[in-house]
């Protein structure tokens, strides 16, 4: 029976895959399934961030494009209804997931979430917007389209920065802008801003109102304003029952004034002509100001009145602030106060970065996420089995932008320890203090930086259903240890260098042939190390700007493993990846060298191993109306192959000599969800009777939420 199942397993995997495609091709859908109302587009930023957008194409309009930009913690899907509303008014519309948000959460094949964004990333969002406009104009019907921008909070500051350097932008609407959001300062783009401008804010939203007033002062073109009652911020103004209709109408009216009859891709006319409006509290004022940066005389009284309200609100807030939050003389000026920081905005608008919950915590932010993985396995030498492989909890907290905590706790096999494989482990508990971007002081439970796989071994982020052999015996994922060190990112033009250096307990003398390093991982508590000397480990990842999508990273570990601290273990590692469109090629290899132990427990003097894998993600537009694509913004099939080899003692052929190849096909209804069918083949049966479980079928379902 076992031999029969071993023969049928690969045939079963192929049959399931072919049946899935056959059902899709047969059109197993509801008879009246609606056609997609938008086209999802993908493109790369200058620093190799995979960006995602949605293009809402108007059936007849060819000369006008409106770009909608979401606020911090949101994504393009939250603007979908308004995008349809704008398209219905006669425009082509593009919505964009800003980097670190929605589906734009990958840089050079590695995750990039909102919590990972640096000040430089926020500044680069304006360049991302330029790439998005270029990607839209690559469509024939939008090749010379005139562009207007509508941004909300963070998106407003991104729109302002982009428009200041792009003469083809015809008009800009800012909803709840901030005077300074993560380094995107309105003052920095003021000199080049002469576009027609609309600002929208709520009178009790201190940060948004202050930013709106500053934009009005700094802009050199025709201006309109809409100030409404209440304290709603950003996209909440669109959804407001009281003011939502007025806000939407004001934006559409502004677009009609400044994009109606626009000649494609032409720069705006010289500002200063009559006919523009400016108002407060939803009421129109009189004529537009001139091209001078200062507001015109008809607008200035309203400005003075609103500025007085801002000062009154700030005094009220200061009076209500708890003693431990009292302002100090050395605090930043009002334009940089906490109400306008990304952390403050994240408290009001939950981030989408491996998490779905945000709450106030010690004046900072708290985010929570989770992942799960379950599988059916049928491998040689083992009974076919359903497995609850992992359930993980991800969390992040920080009282300030430069102070952060990252945590990951994983339950393996339901926490059942009876069989020896289950349990609960802390994969990460890292406290970081950022001195500046190239230098962060980090400590706690760290993921050992040997190779890339151990840094991000979460199943939903991986296309293969099983981990490579190197991640089982050489750098057993997840390998975490208590430690202290530094990390950081260095930018040199388009190039990027990321470094991590830590001191940890390191492996003990329990390294053995077969299981490899797994039994020798350091312990979290006393006695955590078997000697007084600590182990140094580090990794440096280089991403050359000249070759987008390429990442190369050497890693090194050195420390004593024996109880007398006289015998060293040195590990050399190299990993790399290359991403191009839907293709990803990645691999890593390691060499372990140990000084010979004269007394005590002998360990292998040399171990080595590597893997190389390639995956390709693809989609067929004909499936958009089927059960596989209907209602999903980014579905994809994927297929891949991996070849790997490990040797846990190079002096002789033993059970630790393993070679394996694996093939996988699967479907992702969402980038963070995956159904995987993998078949692995043992390639070394003719040499050594290998460890059981190297060959067989694995069907896995993984999700990150």
């Amino acid at each position: 029976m076992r031999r029969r199942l071993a023969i049928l397993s690969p045939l079963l995997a192929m049959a399931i895959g072919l049946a899935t495609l056959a059902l899709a091709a047969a059109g197993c859908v509801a008879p009246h399934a609606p056609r997609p109302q938008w086209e999802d587009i993908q493109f790369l930023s200058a620093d190799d961030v995979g960006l995602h957008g949605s293009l809402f194409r108007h059936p007849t309009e060819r000369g006008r494009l409106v770009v909608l930009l979401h606020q911090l913690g949101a994504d393009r899907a939250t603007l979908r209804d308004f995008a349809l509303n704008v398209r219905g008014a006669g425009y082509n519309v593009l919505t964009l997931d800003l980097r670190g948000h929605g589906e734009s959460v990958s840089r050079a094949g590695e995750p990039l979430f909102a919590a990972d964004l640096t000040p430089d990333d926020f500044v680069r969002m304006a360049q991302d917007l330029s790439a998005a406009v270029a990607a839209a104009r690559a469509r024939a019907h939008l090749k010379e389209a005139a562009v207007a921008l509508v941004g909300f909070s963070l998106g407003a500051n991104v729109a302002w920065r982009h428009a200041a350097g792009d003469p083809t932008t015809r008009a800009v609407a800012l909803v709840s802008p901030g005077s300074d959001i993560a380094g995107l300062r309105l003052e920095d783009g003021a000199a080049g801003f002469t576009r027609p401008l609309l600002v929208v804010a709520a009178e009790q939203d201190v940060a948004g109102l202050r930013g709106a007033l500053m934009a009005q002062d700094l802009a050199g073109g025709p201006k309109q304003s809409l100030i409404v009652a209440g304290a709603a911020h950003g996209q909440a103004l669109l959804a407001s029952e009281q003011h939502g209709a007025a806000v939407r109408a004001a934006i559409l009216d502004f677009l009609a004034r400044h994009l109606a009859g626009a000649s494609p891709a032409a720069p705006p006319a010289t500002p200063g002509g009559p006919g523009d409006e400016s108002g407060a509290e939803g009421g129109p004022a009189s004529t537009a100001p001139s091209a001078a940066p200062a507001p015109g005389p008809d607008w200035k009284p309203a400005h003075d009145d609103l500025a007085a309200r801002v000062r009154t609100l700030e005094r009220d807030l200061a009076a209500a602030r708890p003693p431990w939050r009292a302002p100090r003389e050395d605090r930043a000026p009002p334009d940089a106060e906490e109400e306008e920081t990304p952390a403050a905005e994240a408290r009001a608008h939950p981030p989408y970065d491996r998490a779905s919950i945000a709450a106030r915590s010690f004046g900072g932010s708290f985010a929570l996420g989770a992942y799960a993985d379950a599988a059916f396995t049928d491998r040689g030498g083992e009974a076919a089995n359903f497995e609850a492989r992992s359930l993980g909890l991800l969390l992040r907290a920080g009282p300030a932008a430069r102070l952060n905590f990252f945590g990951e706790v994983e339950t393996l096999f339901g926490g059942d320890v009876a069989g020896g494989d289950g349990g609960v482990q802390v994969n990460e508990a890292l406290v970081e203090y950022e001195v500046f971007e190239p230098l962060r002081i980090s400590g706690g439970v760290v993921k050992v930086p040997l190779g890339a796989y151990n840094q991000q071994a979460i199943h939903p982020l991986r296309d293969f259903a099983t981990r490579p052999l190197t991640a089982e015996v050489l750098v057993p994922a997840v390998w975490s240890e208590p430690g202290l060190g530094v990390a950081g990112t260095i930018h040199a033009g388009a190039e990027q260098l990321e470094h991590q250096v830590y001191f940890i307990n390191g492996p003990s003398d329990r390294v053995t042939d077969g299981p490899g390093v797994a039994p020798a991982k350091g312990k979290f508590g006393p006695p955590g190390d078997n000697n007084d000397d600590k182990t140094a480990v580090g990794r440096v990842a280089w991403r050359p700007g000249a070759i987008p999508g390429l990442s190369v990273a050497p890693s090194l570990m050195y420390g004593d493993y024996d109880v007398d601290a006289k015998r060293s273990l040195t590990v050399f590692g190299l990993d790399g990846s290359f991403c191009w469109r839907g293709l990803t090629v990645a691999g890593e290899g390691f060499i372990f060298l140990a000084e010979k132990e004269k007394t005590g427990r002998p360990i292998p003097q040399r171990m080595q191993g590597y893997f190389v894998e390639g995956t390709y993600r693809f989609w067929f537009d004909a499936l958009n109306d089927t059960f596989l694509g209907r209602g999903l913004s980014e579905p994809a099939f994927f297929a891949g192959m991996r070849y790997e080899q490990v040797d846990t003692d190079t002096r002789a052929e033993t059970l630790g000599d393993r070679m394996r190849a694996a093939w996988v096909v699967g479907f992702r209804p969402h980038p963070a969800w995956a159904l995987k069918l993998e078949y692995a083949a043992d390639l070394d049966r003719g040499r050594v009777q290998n460890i059981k479980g190297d060959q067989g079928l694995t069907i896995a379902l993984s999700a990150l939420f």
Side-chain angles (χ1 to χ4, degrees), residues 374-461:
F376 170 79
T377 61
D378 184 10
R379 304 183 186 126
E382 296 179 350
N385 193 35
F386 287 101
E387 300 174 351
R389 296 198 294 186
S390 69
L391 175 64
L393 183 68
L394 301 162
L395 54 94
R396 171 192 173 273
R402 296 191 296 121
L403 301 176
N404 284 289
F405 171 80
F406 302 94
E408 179 184 341
V409 180
E410 185 176 18
T411 301
L412 301 173
F413 299 102
D416 180 12
V417 298
D421 293 328
V424 178
Q425 65 185 35
V426 177
N427 291 340
E428 187 175 41
L430 187 66
V431 177
E432 283 194 346
Y433 171 66
E434 182 178 302
V435 180
F436 52 100
E437 188 179 0
L439 181 63
R440 302 190 307 271
I441 301 174
S442 306
V445 178
V446 303
K447 294 182 178 179
V448 176
L450 282 176
Y453 196 97
N454 192 58
Q455 303 294 299
Q456 205 59 267
I458 298 174
H459 283 290
L461 300 179

Side-chain angles (χ1 to χ4, degrees), residues 247-424:
V247 171
R248 293 189 294 270
I251 295 174
L252 293 176
D253 177 71
F254 174 75
L255 295 174
R257 287 175 179 271
H258 298 289
L259 279 188
S263 56
T270 302
D276 294 287
E277 296 178 354
S278 176
E281 298 184 295
S286 56
T287 59
S290 67
D298 294 324
W299 181 80
K300 191 169 176 50
H303 176 284
D304 287 342
D305 179 58
L306 291 171
R309 295 186 196 181
V310 171
R311 289 193 294 270
T312 300
L313 283 169
E314 288 177 334
R315 284 196 299 268
D316 293 343
L317 288 173
R321 185 179 285 120
W324 60 87
R325 300 286 294 167
R328 304 187 309 268
E329 292 183 0
D330 61 344
R331 283 180 65 94
D335 285 346
E337 281 192 345
E338 66 170 326
E339 285 83 359
E340 298 179 26
T341 64
E345 192 170 341
R347 290 196 294 269
H349 310 290
Y352 180 81
D353 59 346
R354 296 194 293 180
S356 58
I357 298 175
R360 186 159 183 157
S361 173
F362 301 105
S365 62
F366 177 81
L368 180 68
Y371 60 89
D373 179 73
F376 170 79
T377 61
D378 184 10
R379 304 183 186 126
E382 296 179 350
N385 193 35
F386 287 101
E387 300 174 351
R389 296 198 294 186
S390 69
L391 175 64
L393 183 68
L394 301 162
L395 54 94
R396 171 192 173 273
R402 296 191 296 121
L403 301 176
N404 284 289
F405 171 80
F406 302 94
E408 179 184 341
V409 180
E410 185 176 18
T411 301
L412 301 173
F413 299 102
D416 180 12
V417 298
D421 293 328
V424 178

Side-chain angles (χ1 to χ4, degrees), residues 653-671:
E653 291 187 354
T654 66
L655 292 178
D657 300 347
R658 302 165 68 182
M659 290 189 295
R660 188 169 68 182
W663 297 265
V664 66
V665 295
F667 173 61
R668 286 186 177 272
H670 183 275

Side-chain angles (χ1 to χ4, degrees), residues 149-180:
L149 308 176
V150 181
F152 299 84
S153 193
L154 171 63
N157 286 49
V158 173
W160 174 277
R161 176 67 66 91
H162 169 85
D166 179 23
T168 66
T169 299
R170 293 299 302 264
V172 180
L174 308 180
V175 182
S176 306
S179 58
D180 183 351

